[in-house]
Amino acid sequence: MATDARAKFQNPEFRPDFHADLTVSTHDGLHFWQFMIAGSIAGCVEHMAMFPVDTVKTRMQAIGSCPVKSVTVRHALKSILQSEGPSALYRGIGAMGLGAGPAHAVYFSVYETCKKKFSEGSPSNAAAHAASGVCATVASDAVFTPMDMVKQRLQLGNSGYKGVWDCVKRVMSEEGFGAFYASYRTTVLMNAPFTAVHFTTYEAAKRGLLEVSPESVDDERLVVHATAGAAAGALAAAVTTPLDVVKTQLQCQGVCGCDRFKSGSIGDVIKTIVKKDGYRGLMRGWIPRMLFHAPAAAICWSTYEAGKSFFQDFNQQKDIGTVT
């Protein structure tokens, strides 16, 4: 017996399998921190690439009293370029960079964690995808809302703020800490259905596209993620535009001549918008919003899935190195 044991350990091809019981729990072959990094990179790339479109949307949604009076994308863009120059399209991008990275790290890591728990091994569980998306947006909006408020104020022309930190200091001293979260309730109420529609549509579209040509999944994976992401982003953006208008009004109140609301109630803001502009006022900026979210979602999901693939390959190579 002892001789047999010595023979096994002297055999150079013998590898004891003791490491199997020490494997850390993963989902999709990734650890929690890897989801965070992939999500953070995806969020930054998405928002930086589409920032000029977001600026046009913000101007259009805040036109009640602000300088940009046109309601079409072409006229709003022309007005910004003629009066302020191309650099105006990137005002506030620093605030976006500070908020998007951490927020998307939270967003995707919470989503993947909840999806693993809620789906119970069923990849086609639409309810699990929707519920996971809602949990992810509640957590990420708590991180992103303050910088989003700063970003939107800087995007308005003649806002009077010199930069990100000047805006933060002045808002804190003049309006208090609560001003950074004035739109949080509206943001969650908007992003909860947005995310539910977005993730459900994305997972369904991705699964459907992969089933069309399963033999070429590896070659077309990037196209699949981009197409599914674009469809999900466009649909979710169109459905939630009215609440996005309300959010913009709350975050930009008192700036650049925009209305200031006493209560911050969603109902009061909606009544004010409808009274001044009619119900069409609730759909201001829906075209640039869709033009933003369709390619933005395609960029975000493609980057995120590419990040996941990188870490999956990294983990496999690491496991192979550990075994050998």
Side-chain angles (χ1 to χ4, degrees):
M1 183 80 64
T3 303
D4 292 340
R6 282 196 301 271
K8 284 185 177 181
F9 282 100
Q10 289 171 355
N11 184 349
E13 296 183 357
F14 175 73
R15 295 291 184 270
D17 197 25
F18 63 90
H19 66 279
D21 295 330
L22 300 178
T23 302
V24 178
S25 176
T26 60
H27 172 53
D28 280 354
L30 301 183
H31 300 286
F32 187 81
W33 65 270
Q34 292 172 328
F35 285 123
M36 294 188 73
I37 293 177
S40 179
I41 294 173
C44 288
V45 171
E46 166 199 357
H47 286 286
M48 299 298 181
M50 301 304 301
F51 195 82
V53 181
D54 185 60
T55 297
V56 173
K57 182 216 70 168
T58 298
R59 295 289 187 94
M60 291 179 68
Q61 290 181 339
I63 62 173
S65 305
C66 291
V68 179
K69 300 294 183 182
S70 302
V71 294
T72 67
V73 177
R74 179 183 177 185
H75 289 162
L77 179 60
K78 184 178 180 181
S79 177
I80 294 171
L81 292 176
Q82 288 182 342
S83 61
E84 302 171 61
S87 62
L89 294 172
Y90 291 92
R91 277 179 56 86
I93 196 170
M96 174 61 74
L98 290 172
H104 278 72
V106 172
Y107 187 82
F108 281 106
S109 57
V110 171
Y111 173 71
E112 295 287 358
T113 301
C114 291
K115 185 174 75 170
K116 178 183 179 182
K117 184 175 182 179
F118 296 157
S119 63
E120 298 179 346
S122 175
S124 60
N125 191 334
H129 297 151
S132 300
V134 172
C135 292
T137 197
V138 171
S140 65
D141 284 344
V143 177
F144 188 58
T145 296
M147 281 296 108
D148 188 46
M149 184 274 288
V150 173
K151 181 265 298 183
Q152 287 203 307
R153 291 196 178 198
L154 290 172
Q155 284 176 319
L156 298 181
N158 303 318
S159 63
Y161 298 114
K162 298 178 182 179
V164 175
W165 297 119
D166 179 56
C167 182
V168 170
K169 288 186 292 185
R170 287 178 56 184
V171 170
M172 182 68 78
S173 62
E174 297 171 8
E175 303 174 51
F177 181 77
F180 291 103
Y181 284 93
S183 70
Y184 179 66
R185 181 174 55 181
T186 305
T187 302
V188 171
L189 289 176
M190 174 187 71
N191 283 341
F194 177 93
T195 309
V197 172
H198 186 113
F199 277 110
T200 303
T201 305
Y202 172 76
E203 296 286 357
K206 181 177 70 172
R207 191 166 58 253
L209 290 169
L210 290 174
E211 290 174 355
V212 171
S213 55
E215 69 282 351
S216 57
V217 168
D218 292 335
D219 296 334
E220 300 177 357
R221 185 172 293 278
L222 183 62
V223 175
V224 168
H225 292 310
T227 304
L235 179 60
V239 171
T240 57
T241 293
L243 284 171
D244 190 51
V245 175
V246 174
K247 184 202 76 169
T248 298
Q249 291 284 325
L250 285 171
Q251 293 193 152
C252 297
Q253 58 181 313
V255 180
C256 193
C258 293
D259 295 323
R260 182 173 289 282
F261 304 95
K262 294 181 179 180
S263 67
S265 165
I266 296 173
D268 289 343
V269 177
I270 291 176
K271 288 179 182 178
T272 301
I273 294 172
V274 172
K275 184 177 180 180
K276 292 179 63 176
D277 304 317
Y279 286 101
R280 68 177 185 176
L282 294 172
M283 292 301 293
R284 284 203 305 253
W286 72 272
I287 293 178
R289 180 166 163 77
M290 288 186 66
L291 289 175
F292 173 88
H293 280 286
I299 293 169
C300 184
W301 279 109
S302 300
T303 306
Y304 177 63
E305 295 292 348
K308 285 176 61 177
S309 296
F310 169 80
F311 281 121
Q312 286 168 347
D313 293 340
F314 173 81
N315 290 343
Q316 288 177 359
Q317 292 296 325
K318 185 178 179 181
D319 290 340
I320 292 173
T322 302
V323 171
T324 57

